[in-house]
Amino acid sequence: MKSFLEWYLGIPPAQPGQGTQWTWLRQTPWPAGAPPWLVVLVLLAVAASVIWVYRRDASSISLPWRIVLTGLRLASITFVLLILTELTLVVDRTGLPFIAVLIDDSASMGLDDQYTDAAERTVVRSLLQDRPGERATRLNIAKELLTGSDGAFLRQLQQRHQLRVYRFSESASALGGTDLEQGGDPGALIETIRQLEPTGPATSPAQAVRKVLNDFRGSLPSAIVVISDGISSTGEPDRLTVGADSAARRLVPLYTVGVGSEEAMHDLNLYDTLADEVAFVNDPVTLTAKLKSFGFAGKSVSIVLKDKQSGAVLGTTKAKAGKDGQTVPVELTWAPDTAGDYEVVLEASPQQTEIDRSNNAEIRQISVREEKLRVLLIDSLPRWEFRELKTLLERETTVELHTILQDADLEFVDQDATAQPLRGRFPVSREQLFAYDVVIFGDVNVQFLSPSTLENLSSFVSEAGGGLIFIAGAKFDPLSYRNTPLANLLPIELDGVTLPNPNESIQLPFQPVLTLEGQKSTPIFRFDTDERNSLAVWRNLSGLYWLAAVQNVKPGATVFVEHPTRMGDGRHLPVIVMQRFGAGKVIFHATDETWLWRRRVGDLYYGRYWIQAIRYLSRSRLLGQSKTAELKSDRLVYGRGETVTLRVRFFNDDEVPEPDETVKAIVERRGGSNQDVILTRVPQAPNVFEGQLRRATEGSYHAWIASPAFTGTPPATDFRVESPENELRIRGLDRQQLSDAAKISRGQFYTLATASRLPEDVPRGRPVPIRSEDPIRIWNRWEVLLLFTVLLTTEWLLRKRVRLI
């Protein structure tokens, strides 16, 4: 009958899953303030008067006639009252009630578990059987629970509800863009769910529940389904039970599904391995690393150093595992007895109960040399830079230092051990000069050097791959090198170079600024393994005063450090510049005051810079090859889910790919699979190619260039992806939180073994208003007027028949 009336009144038919709700609106035909008893009394009086009149005037007719006439008169009066009430029908279109599904995608959902319950193990195997090779992480299990068998779980919920799915970690956000109605295809939503990654840096379940409740302010959902490990990493106010209180006050039950195991998770993670790239026979090589453990507190863990190729053990030590999530330092020393290029593995011995053993080891490449780095330091006068640098390199065990001081007396040559080998004479022969790895060229008067000697110095860099550092000075370097072979070696243009007035004192220091190239393309300014910490160290170094103002650098030269404010020809004045010259590299210092970096910290950062610079310049010679390209990541450490940017720079124009070609890098996760990353040319730098690795999961990675091909070892780099510290501090399933939240909100808690029953247990809920149809004024319809007319006419005809008219 309802459907017929709606059809008759012109109301559009309901769509699948929709219904209608009727609401009657009316106005009282009597004064609004009239008491109800008075209204009833008046109505009874009217009815009584009608009955009395017909009893008096129609006493001559039979009782049935009197009853019929009285009824007609009362019906007419009722219709008048109906018209006066302005009776209106409002039809509201209703839909299926909503149900919200919350999926936890925080970092803790990326963990693997060991399930002790046989039923849960069976369910996990069943869920992942169609995903061979997929890790049994909590999030992967949750995704398969919802999307497996073509989304059977979602389709069951969809039969009695409209569906809205959220992902949550710090906060909740809806997936898919639109709600899933009855009969709708969940295919797009299934694909969106399958793309989820455990990248959330923190978990705030209470905030997620409150967000959902606020989203449904107009019409609350029948229930909220929460699929999570129950962990809150942001404190007590964000625990799920707090959100359950809010849901209970609005009569919305929580149906929780626990994913994960309550068993203590066992894992060892060895990372941040540091080792010198170059070592020397019989000299100790110290490798340092960090060991983070879960489930092994207080246990002694064997740390083993192995040769990757032969498997030979090179050294062992012990480390005591800390509390869950706590990092302990690891240090192991190895004294190589044979020269060569080694690929070594530093490994925390795998434990029987470990879930993930792929993060137990890291690989490092070390080149072992028979001899030390041979460095030649030459200057005209014993400037502060010369003195501090000489003292530093004399103490450095990996450096064999020879010095030349042009204006020194004979006593200096006889008494100083570093000056005795050359006795104040710059190497004349190529063989003698080419025996050095790096030459540090201070404020040298080239008038004391023959043209052939200067040509040899140029060949030392271009042919032998040697490293050369120029340190500017007030007398000779670089202005007096114009029209000499040294002018070609310098990475700067000599035209326009000016020096500070020696008669004017410089009162204020300047804080040099690292350029992007100084941060990304070289290790010599890396003062900490973390890039941000390294930059913080750089910004806190003592300021400099003296600077040779260089207006222009040569094409292809790279500015590592620049002045913060002073401008040259279109750019900030360079402080430290590098260029490749043939097989070697040349660095120019426009200041001679890096020794000021020793203030308050001694040689800590001053020494690190100079040692790293020397090793950087000598690397191609030490490795026995001419380096033609370099692969770097923009950071050493990333958070889970962050984008990793890989950048390769070609130093030789002949090696740069053609304009329409790309570079392919292979990225290997330790203990995992390989992934190809395509690097494309940077428009502003034709010899630089960049590419991104997205949604990287936790672990240590090794990347190398696969194409184009390189002679010898291809450029490679290492980086690491970590999960947020607080997020992984607690790792076990918090079953109690999930169970209590369900109990507080009058919902239900499910394990993986019982989760399949959830869609049938969720309450149906109340229909949700969708829209209202146009109001129908019943009092003003022609049918009502017609019926009123029929009543009056019928009463008149009957009264005439019985002769009451």
Side-chain angles (χ1 to χ4, degrees):
M1 178 59 68
K2 184 178 180 182
S3 299
F4 170 77
L5 290 176
E6 288 178 355
W7 168 80
Y8 179 76
L9 293 173
I11 299 172
Q15 299 297 320
Q18 294 183 354
T20 56
Q21 183 175 337
W22 288 15
T23 303
W24 296 96
L25 303 178
R26 67 184 184 279
Q27 295 183 359
T28 55
W30 47 82
W37 63 267
L38 180 60
V39 174
V40 173
L41 185 63
V42 170
L43 291 176
L44 290 175
V46 171
S49 65
V50 171
I51 295 172
W52 180 80
V53 167
Y54 267 105
R55 186 175 180 181
R56 185 196 65 182
D57 296 344
S59 58
S60 60
I61 62 176
S62 62
L63 180 61
W65 279 103
R66 286 203 302 270
I67 292 174
V68 170
L69 291 172
T70 300
L72 290 172
R73 178 62 56 87
L74 291 174
S76 298
I77 295 173
T78 301
F79 265 84
V80 171
L81 290 175
L82 178 66
I83 294 172
L84 292 176
T85 60
E86 298 183 7
L87 185 65
T88 303
L89 174 63
V90 176
V91 179
D92 293 319
R93 184 75 62 197
T94 62
L96 288 173
F98 277 99
I99 187 169
V101 179
L102 280 167
I103 311 171
D104 186 350
D105 68 345
S106 62
S108 64
M109 293 292 286
L111 299 173
D112 296 23
D113 293 274
Q114 290 179 325
Y115 292 93
T116 56
D117 183 78
E120 289 191 334
R121 285 200 305 271
T122 301
V123 170
V124 170
R125 284 196 297 268
S126 175
L127 287 172
L128 298 177
Q129 64 181 357
D130 294 332
R131 298 278 173 179
E134 188 135 297
R135 291 173 57 205
T137 64
R138 296 170 183 177
L139 183 58
N140 284 341
I141 293 170
K143 290 192 293 187
E144 287 305 312
L145 174 66
L146 293 176
T147 64
S149 301
D150 195 27
F153 191 97
L154 296 175
R155 293 180 190 276
Q156 280 185 277
L157 292 174
Q158 189 185 358
Q159 290 176 2
R160 298 188 298 179
H161 299 86
Q162 295 184 74
L163 195 59
R164 186 179 298 176
V165 180
Y166 291 79
R167 54 145 296 276
F168 79 94
S169 52
E170 291 179 291
S171 61
S173 60
L175 297 177
T178 58
D179 300 321
L180 195 60
E181 299 180 352
Q182 185 185 48
D185 183 11
L189 179 60
I190 289 173
E191 287 305 313
T192 302
I193 292 173
R194 285 178 175 166
Q195 295 301 317
L196 290 177
E197 294 290 341
T199 57
T203 316
S204 304
Q207 290 190 33
V209 171
R210 285 193 289 265
K211 170 70 164 56
V212 173
L213 293 173
N214 289 335
D215 286 354
F216 286 96
R217 279 193 301 270
S219 179
L220 292 172
S222 302
I224 299 176
V225 178
V226 181
I227 304 176
S228 172
D229 54 16
I231 298 172
S232 170
S233 61
T234 53
E236 291 290 332
D238 290 326
R239 292 171 73 86
L240 185 59
T241 48
V242 178
D245 286 330
S246 301
R249 286 194 294 270
R250 303 192 192 187
L251 304 180
V252 178
L254 300 186
Y255 285 73
T256 58
V257 180
V259 185
S261 172
E262 292 179 284
E263 295 295 318
M265 184 169 294
H266 295 79
D267 186 37
L268 292 175
N269 181 12
L270 185 84
Y271 64 100
D272 272 1
T273 301
L274 298 177
D276 288 334
E277 293 184 1
V278 178
F280 305 93
V281 173
N282 296 324
D283 275 0
V285 178
T286 300
L287 293 93
T288 61
K290 297 174 183 176
L291 180 67
K292 185 186 296 184
S293 63
F294 292 89
F296 296 108
K299 184 172 182 178
S300 180
V301 179
S302 295
I303 308 296
V304 182
L305 181 68
K306 300 178 182 178
D307 183 338
K308 183 181 179 183
Q309 184 175 7
S310 65
V313 175
L314 306 176
T316 60
T317 188
K318 295 284 187 180
K320 187 176 182 180
K323 297 178 181 179
D324 285 359
Q326 182 181 3
T327 297
V328 297
V330 173
E331 185 174 298
L332 187 148
T333 301
W334 162 54
D337 56 8
T338 306
D341 293 335
Y342 289 83
E343 195 170 25
V344 297
V345 181
L346 187 66
E347 179 183 43
S349 297
Q351 307 298 307
Q352 186 175 0
T353 56
E354 270 195 273
I355 295 175
D356 182 10
R357 301 184 181 185
S358 64
N359 58 358
N360 286 41
E362 288 200 316
I363 301 173
R364 292 293 179 265
Q365 286 78 30
I366 300 175
S367 177
V368 179
R369 292 187 55 174
E370 290 279 2
E371 70 282 356
K372 297 180 179 182
L373 284 173
R374 302 193 71 203
V375 177
L376 173 57
L377 173 62
I378 177 173
D379 212 320
S380 59
L381 293 171
R383 298 183 293 171
W384 278 106
E385 193 80 285
F386 176 87
R387 295 176 185 178
E388 299 297 347
L389 189 52
K390 175 178 177 296
T391 302
L392 169 72
L393 298 180
E394 280 180 313
R395 291 197 301 261
E396 176 59 39
T397 58
T398 63
V399 170
E400 179 184 344
L401 177 66
H402 293 169
T403 61
I404 298 175
L405 196 57
Q406 289 181 317
D407 289 350
D409 52 29
L410 294 178
E411 292 181 358
F412 172 76
V413 175
D414 293 332
Q415 296 175 3
D416 193 287
T418 64
Q420 291 174 2
L422 295 175
R423 301 197 62 81
R425 291 186 294 272
F426 194 87
V428 176
S429 68
R430 289 166 58 96
E431 293 75 15
Q432 189 181 13
L433 179 59
F434 286 14
Y436 291 95
D437 296 299
V438 174
V439 174
I440 303 175
F441 208 80
D443 197 19
V444 177
N445 185 353
V446 293
Q447 296 298 323
F448 294 103
L449 302 179
S450 66
S452 61
T453 300
L454 299 181
E455 290 290 350
N456 288 344
L457 186 58
S458 178
S459 299
F460 164 75
V461 179
S462 62
E463 299 176 17
L468 178 60
I469 302 178
F470 286 100
I471 304 176
K475 290 188 174 183
F476 309 108
D477 190 346
L479 290 178
S480 67
Y481 301 161
R482 195 188 311 268
N483 301 322
T484 72
L486 298 185
N488 295 327
L489 285 168
L490 285 165
I492 62 170
E493 298 287 359
L494 293 176
D495 293 336
V497 175
T498 58
L499 303 180
N501 188 337
N503 298 320
E504 295 179 1
S505 62
I506 305 173
Q507 300 295 330
L508 297 177
F510 68 89
Q511 193 68 40
V513 176
L514 269 180
T515 65
L516 184 62
E517 293 293 343
Q519 298 176 40
K520 308 294 185 183
S521 67
T522 175
I524 64 178
F525 301 97
R526 184 60 62 88
F527 299 117
D528 191 278
T529 56
D530 182 83
E531 185 175 0
R532 284 169 289 190
N533 294 341
S534 181
L535 287 175
V537 170
W538 173 263
R539 295 188 187 105
N540 289 316
L541 292 176
S542 294
L544 308 178
Y545 294 84
W546 193 91
L547 180 71
V550 176
Q551 301 301 313
N552 291 293
V553 299
K554 289 181 178 176
T558 303
V559 178
F560 289 155
V561 181
E562 62 189 11
H563 195 283
T565 56
R566 293 180 61 186
M567 301 295 292
D569 189 4
R571 63 168 301 154
H572 291 269
L573 294 181
V575 179
I576 299 178
V577 192
M578 187 278 295
Q579 77 167 353
R580 285 194 161 265
F581 191 81
K585 294 186 285 286
V586 180
I587 289 178
F588 174 76
H589 282 202
T591 180
D592 62 352
E593 294 181 342
T594 62
W595 61 271
L596 291 175
W597 294 343
R598 300 185 70 256
R599 287 180 179 174
R600 298 186 299 273
V601 292
D603 288 337
L604 179 59
Y605 301 122
Y606 175 75
R608 185 169 298 179
Y609 165 73
W610 276 103
I611 297 302
Q612 289 177 166
I614 289 170
R615 289 177 177 169
Y616 170 73
L617 291 175
S618 63
R619 189 176 302 166
S620 60
R621 283 167 59 87
L622 296 177
L623 297 179
Q625 61 183 14
S626 179
K627 190 173 183 181
T628 58
E630 183 177 51
L631 177 66
K632 292 290 182 183
S633 57
D634 58 336
R635 296 214 303 272
L636 296 179
V637 181
Y638 298 85
R640 183 195 291 268
E642 289 186 322
T643 298
V644 178
T645 298
L646 296 175
R647 182 183 297 109
V648 62
R649 174 184 293 276
F650 290 89
F651 301 119
N652 189 338
D653 292 341
D654 295 336
E655 301 287 341
V656 178
E658 295 297 324
D660 58 342
E661 294 180 347
T662 58
V663 174
K664 184 173 79 171
I666 296 179
V667 181
E668 176 190 23
R669 181 179 182 272
R670 307 296 189 201
S673 57
N674 294 348
Q675 185 173 345
D676 292 346
V677 177
I678 301 301
L679 284 65
T680 57
R681 192 184 309 268
V682 176
Q684 299 83 0
N687 63 327
V688 177
F689 290 71
E690 282 188 356
Q692 281 79 38
L693 173 67
R694 304 185 187 277
R695 297 191 297 274
T697 57
E698 182 183 4
S700 296
Y701 290 80
H702 179 67
W704 68 93
I705 299 300
S707 68
F710 288 84
T711 303
T713 305
T717 190
D718 294 281
F719 59 89
R720 191 177 74 257
V721 178
E722 288 186 343
S723 293
E725 190 71 25
N726 289 339
E727 176 63 18
L728 294 182
R729 183 170 47 85
I730 302 172
R731 294 193 164 200
L733 168 71
D734 197 338
R735 185 186 297 263
Q736 193 64 44
Q737 263 301 296
L738 294 165
S739 178
D740 289 348
K743 187 180 297 184
I744 290 170
S745 61
R746 297 188 178 183
Q748 194 166 336
F749 167 71
Y750 298 84
T751 65
L752 287 174
T754 61
S756 59
R757 301 203 301 262
L758 186 150
E760 292 298 326
D761 294 343
V762 171
R764 288 183 176 273
R766 297 179 179 179
V768 178
I770 299 176
R771 67 177 184 275
S772 297
E773 302 291 346
D774 293 335
I776 301 173
R777 295 179 174 82
I778 300 297
W779 66 275
N780 199 29
R781 288 186 65 87
W782 64 270
E783 296 94 336
V784 175
L785 296 176
L786 177 62
L787 187 56
F788 179 63
T789 302
V790 169
L791 288 174
L792 291 177
T793 303
T794 302
E795 182 186 4
W796 183 82
L797 292 174
L798 291 178
R799 285 173 61 87
K800 187 173 182 179
R801 182 174 180 178
V802 296
R803 301 179 184 277
L804 292 179
I805 297 178

